[in-house]
Amino acid sequence: MNEEFNKKIREEALFLVSSSKNYLEKLNIFLQRLNIEEFLKTLQQLHRAFGEILGLTKYMQENFDVFRDFYYQIMHEMQDILKDMFDITEAFINELKKRLNSFSRQNS
């Protein structure tokens, strides 16, 4: 049973990493459209997925002898996703600032 449970932990972690990458793609789309509401909703979904991944990594840490390589793989994926999320969020903020400044100049 333990092997089966460990397999499910791996599958769930991979699913959540894949979902997180899909959320990044959506963030890029909403960045291009400057769709604030959808951008923020997707960011919340991405944070939720990350929370679930972190919960799974706690189990992996407790069973490190079984999950060592997989744990490092997942942590590396999470690090890459976080970097991309930060970059996209910064670009979104910068685009909002540009548009707000432009709007302010037009209405002055």
Side-chain angles (χ1 to χ4, degrees):
M1 165 138 166
N2 212 11
E3 274 185 48
E4 185 64 29
F5 185 74
N6 290 345
K7 180 182 174 189
K8 289 183 181 196
I9 294 292
R10 285 184 176 91
E11 289 172 355
E12 183 67 15
L14 291 172
F15 170 77
L16 290 166
V17 166
S18 176
S19 295
S20 296
K21 289 178 181 178
N22 289 335
Y23 292 139
L24 284 177
E25 289 176 24
K26 285 183 175 182
L27 287 176
N28 268 318
I29 291 168
F30 298 134
L31 164 63
Q32 300 307 313
R33 296 179 186 166
L34 205 62
N35 185 326
I36 297 170
E37 184 176 354
E38 293 302 319
F39 187 90
L40 293 175
K41 284 180 184 178
T42 303
L43 199 57
Q44 284 178 320
Q45 291 172 320
L46 181 54
H47 282 202
R48 192 174 304 123
F50 256 80
E52 291 181 34
I53 293 169
L54 289 174
L56 294 174
T57 62
K58 296 281 188 202
Y59 178 81
M60 290 179 210
Q61 290 170 341
E62 292 172 5
N63 299 282
F64 200 62
D65 54 321
V66 175
F67 287 101
R68 174 175 309 186
D69 292 338
F70 186 73
Y71 172 83
Y72 288 128
Q73 174 192 342
I74 293 298
M75 294 306 288
H76 178 74
E77 295 270 3
M78 287 177 64
Q79 185 178 26
D80 289 347
I81 292 167
L82 275 173
K83 181 197 171 301
D84 291 343
M85 182 182 74
F86 177 81
D87 291 345
I88 293 167
T89 303
E90 284 296 306
F92 191 83
I93 291 168
N94 289 334
E95 189 60 33
L96 277 176
K97 285 179 183 177
K98 283 182 206 174
R99 295 212 182 163
L100 287 172
N101 287 337
S102 175
F103 181 75
S104 291
R105 276 184 247 132
Q106 288 174 356
N107 292 322
S108 295

